[in-house]
């Protein structure tokens, strides 16, 4: 930029120098010519007065020549003396014949003394000449013509031209140096500004143009700095807005999918990841159909983009796992038109599962209550029909009624307890308690049943085994697990209770050598009212809620429960609680 600016300035300077030199040379030549013409005119008049008395006496040519030479000396001015009739009386040059006929104009001969004025100067054929009349006693006695070759003028002009050119070239050189310095002084801050603007264009808005120059360059630097400051604030505000939006979108419980006008996914929040079971990096840059493998959802997005229609639907995804979603799809429009679409969906999977569990629970609870109630009703109707008259039958029927009533009470109590646990209405304490305390209470109640079935009980629980939780809750867990072990272990079988601490956890295992649980039932045995063998479970007096209560109590204390079982070999229930 500096060289382009200097080159343009230099061309202007050269053009100005040429024009200046031309004007000066033209003016100098004109001045020289004017000076020459004035000098010739004065000398012509002087010679005319000098030759007047001489020509009046009709001197010889030699006398006239000597007089002319003595008057002008070795000057470059040539003299030609003429008679009134045009004869050459004397001369100091030889090349005058081509203008001889014009040296004495007719006006001098015919016009009288009023016409006896200076004739010339005239410039022709490389010579400047002038004629003056020679008058003596009121009559024209001749003429004097002075001439000077232009070469003399040109010689002086060449000398003057060299001086003018030298001065002009020196001034041009000085002006060029000054122009180069000024161009450098102007370009240097401009380059700093350009460099700063370039780094700003690359995204570094922390750069500032520090320029000491005033005027337009300084104002430009200040404007660039102000622009960078404003852009920095705008980008910072945009970044904050974007970060806020992403935080809000990421923290939303509803899944959000944002697409561009072509239907390509450009935003995929964490709720969408959880609902669809797909990571964001796996779907960004892909179409909705490729990302979700769901044609209906893809059609809804296409309809929003092509037809600008909003749609709502409940969709079911089968991959990578079954999910029920409530989807809302709408186009995103601005003044420029549709710039994409947004998909908002709520995961209804758990809601639908809870509804299904609720329906199943209602059905199971109704069925569980119906059986003992039907039995009680039958017994009462039989007694009313006359069975009460037979003491033996009456006692048998009353025994059945008492048994079924106890069963109803147990079911209702378990249902109330389970409901209270799920609704978090039961407050569980968190205390450091030795495991032996609740275990001893359970063993005292279970030992008579073990002896009745000749079952062997092995307890391997260190005295230092302690857990953090609720003693009554752990007591209920152990009671349910040991109750099931006694029920489903044949006479003469073995039951064991062990405990050990591992990685800050207390691992409690209740194992038996009972009938075992088939593998296809193991994942569901902790559900309410779920039984592997319903007839046998009811015959043994089970409510179908024991293991569900175990699961909820253990998880409420921050633990977990699992089962390992082999049909015909027995089962092992593992309870993990926080160790003290």
């Amino acid at each position: 930029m500096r060289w382009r600016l200097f080159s343009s300035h230099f061309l202007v300077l050269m053009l100005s120098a040429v024009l200046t030199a031309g004007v000066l040379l033209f003016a100098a030549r004109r001045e020289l010519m004017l000076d020459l013409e004035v000098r010739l005119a004065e000398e012509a008049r002087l010679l005319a007065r000098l030759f007047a008395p001489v020509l009046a006496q009709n001197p010889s040519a030699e006398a006239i020549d000597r007089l002319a030479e003595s008057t002008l000396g070795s000057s470059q001015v040539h003299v030609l003396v003429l008679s009134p009739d045009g004869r050459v009386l004397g001369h100091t040059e030889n090349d005058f014949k081509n203008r001889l006929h014009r040296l004495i104009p007719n006006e001098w001969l015919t016009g009288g003394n009023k016409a006896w004025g200076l004739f010339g100067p005239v410039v022709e054929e490389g010579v400047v000449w002038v004629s003056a009349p020679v008058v003596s006693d009121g009559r024209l006695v001749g003429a004097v013509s002075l001439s000077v070759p232009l070469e003399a003028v040109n010689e002086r002009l060449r000398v003057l031209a060299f001086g003018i050119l030298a001065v002009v070239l020196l001034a041009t050189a000085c002006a060029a140096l000054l122009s180069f310095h000024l161009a450098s002084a102007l370009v240097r801050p401009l380059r700093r500004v350009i460099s700063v603007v370039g780094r700003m264009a690359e995204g570094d808005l922390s750069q500032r143009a520090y320029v000491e120059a005033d005027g337009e360059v300084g104002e430009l630097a200040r404007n660039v700095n102000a622009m960078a400051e404003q852009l920095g604030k705008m980008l910072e505000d945009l970044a904050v807005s974007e970060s806020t939006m992403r935080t809000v979108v990421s923290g939303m419980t509803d899944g959000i999918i944002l697409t561009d006008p072509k239907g390509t996914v450009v935003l995929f929040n964490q709720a969408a990841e959880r609902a669809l079971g797909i990571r964001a990096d796996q779907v960004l840059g892909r179409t909705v159909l490729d990302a979700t493998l769901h044609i209906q959802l893809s059609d809804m997005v296409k309809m929003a983009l092509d037809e600008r229609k909003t749609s709502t639907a409940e969709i079911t995804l089968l991959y990578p796992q079954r999910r029920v979603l409530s989807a809302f799809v709408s186009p995103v429009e601005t003044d420029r038109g549709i710039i994409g679409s947004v998909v908002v969906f709520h995961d209804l999977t758990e809601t639908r599962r809870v509804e299904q569990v609720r329906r199943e629970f209602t059905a199971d609870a109704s069925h569980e209550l119906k059986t003992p109630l039907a039995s009680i009703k039958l017994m009462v109707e039989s007694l009313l029909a006359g069975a009460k008259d037979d003491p033996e039958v009456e006692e048998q029927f009353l025994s059945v009624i008492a048994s079924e009533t106890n069963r109803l009470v147990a079911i209702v109590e378990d249902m109330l307890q389970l409901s209270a646990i799920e609704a978090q209405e039961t407050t569980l304490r968190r205390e450091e308690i030795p495991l032996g305390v609740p275990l001893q209470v359970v063993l005292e109640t279970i030992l008579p049943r073990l002896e009745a079935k000749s079952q062997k009980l092995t307890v391997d629980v260190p005295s230092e085994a302690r857990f953090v939780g609720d003693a009554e809750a752990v007591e209920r867990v152990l009671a349910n697990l040991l109750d099931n072990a006694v029920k489903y272990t044949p006479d003469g079988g073995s039951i064991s209770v062990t405990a050990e601490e591992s990685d800050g956890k207390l691992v409690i295992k209740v194992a038996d050598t009972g009938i075992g649980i088939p593998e296809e039932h193991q994942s569901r045995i902790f559900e309410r009212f779920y039984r592997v063998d319903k007839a046998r479970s009811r015959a043994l007096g089970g409510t179908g809620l024991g293991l569900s209560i175990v699961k909820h109590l253990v998880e409420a204390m921050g633990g977990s429960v699992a089962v390992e079982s082999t049909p015909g070999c027995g089962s092992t229930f593992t309870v993990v609680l926080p160790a003290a």
Side-chain angles (χ1 to χ4, degrees):
M1 181 177 178
R2 176 177 62 185
W3 287 108
R4 289 196 299 270
L5 187 61
F6 172 71
S7 299
S8 62
H9 286 179
F10 185 74
L11 289 176
V12 172
L13 287 173
M14 290 300 297
L15 181 61
S16 301
V18 171
L19 292 175
T20 301
V23 170
L24 289 176
L25 288 175
F26 176 79
R29 191 178 189 281
R30 183 178 179 184
E31 289 296 325
L32 287 175
M33 290 297 294
L34 288 175
D35 179 69
L36 179 61
E37 291 172 355
V38 171
R39 186 164 57 84
L40 283 177
E42 291 177 352
E43 290 182 357
R45 292 189 185 95
L46 178 63
L47 287 178
R49 289 194 296 273
L50 182 63
F51 275 97
V54 176
L55 292 181
Q57 299 173 5
N58 294 319
S60 64
E62 289 77 6
I64 294 174
D65 290 342
R66 286 194 300 271
L67 179 61
E69 289 179 356
S70 63
T71 302
L72 298 176
S74 59
S75 172
Q76 290 181 329
V77 179
H78 301 287
V79 180
L80 184 65
V81 182
L82 302 173
S83 66
D85 57 359
R87 290 181 299 106
V88 177
L89 300 178
H91 61 84
T92 60
E93 66 168 332
N94 296 320
D95 188 15
F96 55 82
K97 299 183 184 299
N98 56 350
R99 63 179 183 275
L100 186 61
H101 63 285
R102 290 184 294 172
L103 296 178
I104 300 178
N106 292 329
E107 290 82 0
W108 289 359
L109 300 176
T110 60
N113 57 5
K114 293 182 179 180
W116 296 338
L118 193 67
F119 180 64
V122 178
V123 181
E124 61 179 6
E125 298 180 359
V127 176
V128 179
W129 60 269
V130 63
S131 294
V134 179
V135 179
S136 177
D137 297 329
R139 64 185 181 88
L140 183 66
V141 295
V144 177
S145 177
L146 300 181
S147 65
V148 176
L150 287 178
E151 181 62 29
V153 177
N154 292 337
E155 181 65 26
R156 292 183 63 186
L157 189 62
R158 280 194 293 271
V159 174
L160 186 61
F162 284 131
I164 291 174
L165 289 177
V167 172
V168 170
L169 288 178
L170 180 61
T172 302
C174 293
L177 291 175
L178 180 60
S179 175
F180 184 80
H181 175 73
L182 292 177
S184 300
L186 178 63
V187 169
R188 193 177 299 112
L190 280 177
R191 281 184 174 176
R192 288 200 292 267
V193 173
I194 291 172
S195 176
V196 169
V197 171
R199 289 195 291 270
M200 288 179 182
E202 294 174 356
D204 185 6
L205 294 179
S206 63
Q207 296 293 324
R208 293 293 181 272
Y210 298 104
V211 176
E212 298 177 357
D214 296 327
E216 289 79 1
V217 177
E219 184 177 356
L220 174 63
R222 289 189 292 272
N223 289 337
V224 167
N225 292 339
M227 179 186 67
E229 191 74 25
Q230 293 297 325
L231 284 176
K233 290 181 180 178
M234 290 174 60
L235 290 179
E236 185 177 351
D237 292 341
L238 286 175
V240 171
S241 299
E242 182 180 1
S243 176
T244 302
M245 184 197 71
R246 289 189 175 276
T247 301
V248 171
V249 171
S250 298
M252 291 178 64
T253 57
D254 290 338
I256 302 291
I257 299 177
L258 190 64
T259 73
D260 62 12
K262 296 181 180 179
T264 303
V265 178
V266 295
L267 187 144
F268 199 82
N269 72 344
Q270 295 179 0
E273 291 182 351
R274 292 191 297 268
L276 301 180
I278 309 173
R279 297 196 313 272
D281 58 357
Q282 294 177 320
V283 300
L284 293 178
R286 299 170 61 185
T287 64
V288 174
L289 180 60
D290 291 338
T292 63
L293 300 179
H294 198 281
I295 297 176
Q296 183 182 0
L297 185 60
S298 177
D299 291 341
M300 293 170 68
V301 171
K302 185 176 181 181
M303 184 169 62
L305 294 174
D306 297 343
E307 304 177 16
R308 300 187 177 186
K309 290 185 177 180
T310 300
S311 56
T312 305
E314 185 172 303
I315 62 176
T316 302
L317 301 179
L318 301 178
Y319 179 84
Q321 57 184 346
R322 189 177 185 278
R323 291 279 182 177
V324 180
L325 306 175
S326 174
F328 170 82
V329 183
S330 174
V332 179
E333 298 185 68
T334 64
D335 295 338
R336 296 178 297 169
I338 294 181
I339 61 172
S341 67
V342 60
V343 181
V344 181
F345 53 84
H346 183 68
D347 191 354
L348 300 178
T349 305
E350 183 63 21
T351 302
R352 297 292 180 261
R353 189 193 70 81
V354 171
E355 290 176 354
Q356 180 64 26
V357 169
R358 186 180 292 111
R359 287 192 295 268
E360 292 177 355
F361 175 76
T362 301
D364 291 341
S366 300
H367 183 72
E368 292 295 331
L369 294 174
K370 181 179 178 181
T371 301
L373 285 174
S375 179
I376 292 173
K377 180 181 178 182
L378 178 61
M379 296 298 103
V380 171
E381 290 176 347
S382 298
L383 289 173
L384 292 175
K388 65 179 183 299
D389 298 331
D390 187 340
E392 184 176 348
V393 173
E394 180 184 16
E395 182 179 355
Q396 182 181 359
F397 281 12
L398 291 175
S399 177
V400 171
I401 291 173
S403 176
E404 294 298 336
T405 301
N406 291 334
R407 184 181 171 192
L408 279 174
V409 172
I411 292 174
V412 172
E413 288 180 349
D414 286 349
M415 289 175 60
L416 291 174
Q417 184 176 9
L418 184 59
S419 177
I421 296 172
E422 290 180 340
Q424 298 182 349
E425 295 177 356
T426 300
T427 302
L428 300 179
R429 294 183 296 274
R430 293 184 60 82
E431 301 174 337
E432 295 185 6
I433 301 172
L435 179 59
V437 174
L439 179 59
Q440 184 62 36
V441 176
V442 175
L443 291 179
E444 290 177 357
T445 60
I446 207 76
L447 282 176
R449 295 174 56 194
L450 289 169
E451 294 173 355
K453 298 185 67 173
S454 301
Q455 294 171 340
K456 180 181 178 182
L457 175 64
T458 303
V459 178
D460 183 11
V461 176
S463 58
E464 65 273 11
R466 300 169 67 86
F467 66 90
V468 177
D470 187 280
E472 293 182 2
V474 173
E475 180 182 331
R476 182 64 185 271
V477 168
L478 294 175
N480 285 351
L481 293 178
L482 286 172
D483 180 68
N484 286 343
V486 173
K487 286 180 182 178
Y488 299 106
T489 298
D491 294 351
S494 299
I495 300 173
S496 65
V497 179
T498 61
E500 62 177 350
E501 187 174 343
S502 175
D503 296 329
K505 303 289 184 180
L506 183 62
V507 181
I508 307 168
K509 293 186 178 182
V510 177
D512 61 58
T513 57
I515 60 177
I517 304 170
E519 185 176 357
E520 63 270 19
H521 295 286
Q522 292 179 17
S523 61
R524 299 194 60 189
I525 60 171
F526 293 102
E527 295 179 8
R528 289 171 289 194
F529 295 116
Y530 187 83
R531 293 186 176 90
V532 176
D533 186 345
K534 295 183 179 181
R536 181 167 185 172
S537 177
R538 291 194 184 97
L540 294 174
T543 64
L545 296 173
L547 291 179
S548 182
I549 293 174
V550 168
K551 179 176 180 295
H552 282 81
L553 286 174
V554 171
E555 291 179 351
M557 290 184 290
S560 63
V561 60
V563 62
E564 296 177 3
S565 182
T566 302
C569 296
S571 303
T572 300
F573 285 84
T574 303
V575 175
V576 180
L577 295 174

